[in-house]
Every structure is written in structure tokens, then in C-alpha cells.
Amino acid sequence: MPLHQKNPRCSHDQRLQTHRMNQDLEVAQISRALEVTCLSSHSLMPGNSKEAAGAGIPSIPEGPQSFCSSSIAITATSSSKSDEGFSSQEEANSISLATPDPKNVPLVALGEKVASLVNFLLYKYQMKEPVTKEDMLKIVIKEYEDHFTEILLRASEHMEMIFGLDVKEVDPSNHCYGLLIKLGLTYDGMLHGEKGIPKTGILILTLGAIFMKGNRATEGEVWEVLNVMGLYSGRKHFIFGEPKKLITKDLVKEKYLEYRQVANSDPAQFEFLWGPRAHAETTKMQVLEFLAKVHGTHPSSFPSQYEEALRDEEERARTRISGRAVSTSMATASSRAKSSHFSRP
């Protein structure tokens, strides 16, 4: 092979090698994100447990149903450092696994593998490359091959709950997986041509907060929900960046959200509503099913929202049927008109 020609396989291996070299810092960040966004001990809805119960919102059950495994026990740095992000390996090392009981060492190791796999899946998503079981085993899982299914399942749950991405096997014969945006949404918050972290999870939680608050939520109510993920207004998040710009400008510009002043509010207060693109791409039922899954329960556990979501599904079904009927009627009329035209002497 001529020297000036690049070997595609070598290029692929070099990218993976670079990825592995930078992995320690990134895995520390991802591990921290998994811990910060651990929803097993927090409700997505604001307020204490009594307030949640009064609003008809069930508390999140503890135990096997929880998506955030206790096997990832992380000692985080101060909140001020978290806002600034990690600028060095030394800062990354300030996050350490809590000293486990010897019996739990395998669980802690599996937790590390889950964080590493989440990091690897995000890398593949950024590169728009397919994910194969072979690569996951070779680069991430390694000596824990016997636990592949469990590690992939837990990593997939984190990808779903935090980043709003579904991990689906798209080619069973070759064990190839695809990373797809959830709930029919088509925007991941990543700027074209730039690497970053998908922010669909933030969008879904915001849409969920709006729906749970009666289809409109004040800015304060939305931030109470996002605070669960460690996202605060005006404070740069070490993984997701500046969240205020995302929800008040970017997602508004993309027509997923409406952001407007509450009528007659003095001093001025602002509220969020679903935008036209959100209504077009997803449904209230899909968002409610997502929230129910986070809570480890069924959508019917939210009675009023479940009934509204069912009505919305029925209305959408009627609209589709009506649309098809109109299309069929127009096609029939057009066909008759043509037939009449050609049958004239």
C-alpha cells in the first residue's frame, strides 16, 4: 500500500486509542453525572414527600426497580468546583469511589464498567458510529464479559434517563446497536459540527414538568425539577454546560418550548409551555410513560395526567382518521373528475 494512503482500520484504532487515553477524566465526569442524577432518592416533582403525595405524585420506590444503582458510590468535590468543571486530571482524581466492603467489590467494579460504557456510548454517538458488541467487550467490558448483559442494561438505562437516548439492537446477526433519540423527538441539543453531550433528557424532563403542572409551569417550578439533575439557573454544569440558555433560548428557538411572561405578574414572572414542535413530535402519553418509568411505576399512578393523556391519544386518533377520510374523499373526487373528463365525446 502506498505510504500516502491511510488505512481506515488504523484510523479507527487510533481514534479508539485516543478515546482510551482520555477516558479516565471522562469516566470520572460521567460517574459523577450518574450519581448526581440518581433519581432513586429524589422525586422529579418539586416539594417534599408530603407535598408530592398531596399532589397525587407517588414517591419513587427503593429497591431493584431503581434505575440508579447504589453500586456507584461516589465522593464528590464541593459544589463550587462542580460549577467550574474539571480542568485537570488532579481534579478528576478528587472523585473517588467510596471504600467498599470486600463483598461488594465486584458490584463497585461493575459500576465502574457501567460508567465507562456510558462514556463509550456517548463517544460513539458523537462520532455517529455504530456500536458493536465486539467493541464494547474489547474496549470497555474486557474481563467482565460474563456480566455483559447486566452492564449493557444498566448503561442503557442511564443513557435513557439522563441523556434521552435509546440503545437498540439494530442488527442482531452482527450484534450491532444504534443510539436513537427518545419519544419521537428529533433534536438532541448538540450544535451542528460540534462535539457535545446530547441534551434530550433535559428537554424531556422539562416537557414532563410542564405537563405535570397542568400544561404550564413557572420558571421556578421547572428549575426545581432540573435541580434534581444538578442543573441550576446561571451555573454552568460540568457535563451539560449552561442550562438556562438551553431552556430559555435554544429550545424556544427550536419551537420545543414556549417561554413567556405570566399575565399581570408584578414583578414579572415567566412560564413554560409546550411548543408546536413538541406537540408535533411526541405525545403526553409518551412523556408520562417516561416519567412513570423513572419513578418505577405505571402511568396510571398519575390519575389526572393519565386521563388527560388518554384523551389526547383519542383526539390524535380521531384527527388521523379524519385526515385519512379527507384524503380518500379528495382522491375519489379527483378520480371521478378525470373519468368524467375522458368519457366526454
Side-chain angles (χ1 to χ4, degrees):
M1 177 183 295
L3 293 176
H4 66 275
Q5 292 185 2
K6 292 184 179 180
N7 185 327
R9 180 64 189 176
C10 289
S11 177
H12 174 73
D13 290 343
Q14 287 172 355
R15 289 201 305 272
L16 292 179
Q17 179 63 28
T18 301
H19 167 72
R20 285 195 294 267
M21 290 172 63
N22 296 328
Q23 198 175 43
D24 288 343
L25 175 58
E26 293 171 346
V27 169
Q29 292 176 320
I30 294 298
S31 296
R32 189 167 178 203
L34 301 187
E35 178 68 9
V36 168
T37 57
C38 183
L39 303 178
S40 61
S41 59
H42 298 276
S43 171
L44 281 176
M45 298 301 106
N48 58 35
S49 58
K50 290 183 179 179
E51 292 172 338
I57 300 168
S59 59
I60 300 175
E62 298 179 1
Q65 287 181 314
S66 171
F67 283 104
C68 297
S69 172
S70 60
S71 63
I72 304 179
I74 295 176
T75 302
T77 54
S78 67
S79 59
S80 60
K81 248 182 190 179
S82 71
D83 302 329
E84 298 169 0
F86 295 101
S87 59
S88 68
Q89 185 65 44
E90 181 179 354
E91 285 178 309
N93 289 337
S94 66
I95 294 181
S96 59
L97 290 173
T99 304
D101 182 89
K103 295 179 182 179
N104 294 328
V105 170
L107 290 179
V108 173
L110 289 180
E112 292 176 329
K113 289 297 181 183
V114 170
S116 294
L117 184 55
V118 168
N119 175 59
F120 179 71
L121 293 172
L122 288 172
Y123 166 78
K124 284 292 192 177
Y125 183 78
Q126 292 169 344
M127 301 301 294
K128 301 186 185 302
E129 294 178 350
V131 182
T132 65
K133 181 178 179 179
E134 179 183 3
D135 278 345
M136 287 188 279
L137 290 172
K138 177 181 177 182
I139 299 167
V140 180
I141 309 298
K142 298 179 181 177
E143 70 273 17
Y144 291 91
E145 182 175 355
D146 291 343
H147 299 276
F148 171 76
T149 301
E150 178 188 354
I151 294 171
L152 178 60
L153 176 62
R154 285 169 51 188
S156 299
E157 289 169 347
H158 289 312
M159 292 293 289
E160 179 183 8
M161 297 295 121
I162 299 172
F163 302 106
L165 299 177
D166 272 330
V167 181
K168 292 189 175 182
E169 190 171 28
V170 294
D171 184 358
S173 60
N174 293 309
H175 301 290
C176 187
Y177 297 79
L179 299 169
L180 310 173
I181 301 176
K182 285 191 67 63
L183 307 191
L185 300 169
T186 59
Y187 179 73
D188 59 12
M190 295 169 61
L191 297 177
H192 180 69
E194 293 186 16
K195 292 183 180 179
I197 296 295
K199 303 173 181 67
T200 314
I202 298 175
L203 169 59
I204 295 173
L205 286 180
T206 304
L207 293 176
I210 295 168
F211 178 44
M212 298 298 285
K213 286 296 180 179
N215 298 308
R216 62 182 66 230
T218 66
E219 188 169 5
E221 289 169 339
V222 169
W223 282 115
E224 284 187 59
V225 173
L226 296 183
N227 288 170
V228 175
M229 289 186 69
L231 297 167
Y232 298 90
S233 177
R235 292 166 58 177
K236 186 175 180 180
H237 188 267
F238 63 98
I239 290 290
F240 292 107
E242 174 49 67
K244 184 171 184 177
K245 178 179 178 294
L246 175 68
I247 66 171
T248 62
K249 293 185 178 181
D250 297 344
L251 293 176
V252 172
K253 181 180 178 182
E254 294 294 332
K255 300 189 183 303
Y256 280 112
L257 299 176
E258 290 185 11
Y259 179 63
R260 67 190 190 187
Q261 184 175 342
V262 177
N264 303 318
S265 60
D266 185 22
Q269 293 184 353
F270 292 84
E271 65 182 0
F272 288 94
L273 293 83
W274 282 28
R277 190 170 170 185
H279 284 289
E281 291 183 357
T282 191
T283 68
K284 294 177 180 179
M285 184 61 78
Q286 286 178 302
V287 171
L288 185 61
E289 287 172 346
F290 177 89
L291 295 178
K293 189 172 183 180
V294 171
H295 282 254
T297 186
H298 187 271
S300 60
S301 297
F302 307 85
S304 61
Q305 288 83 5
Y306 185 60
E307 290 178 7
E308 181 179 346
L310 285 175
R311 290 195 298 270
D312 182 61
E313 292 293 300
E314 292 171 357
E315 184 177 336
R316 287 172 180 268
R318 285 195 296 269
T319 301
R320 287 193 296 269
I321 293 172
S322 176
R324 285 197 293 266
V326 170
S327 298
T328 302
S329 177
M330 291 177 64
T332 301
S334 177
S335 177
R336 287 175 178 171
K338 289 180 180 178
S339 298
S340 175
H341 174 77
F342 286 115
S343 64
R344 292 174 183 173

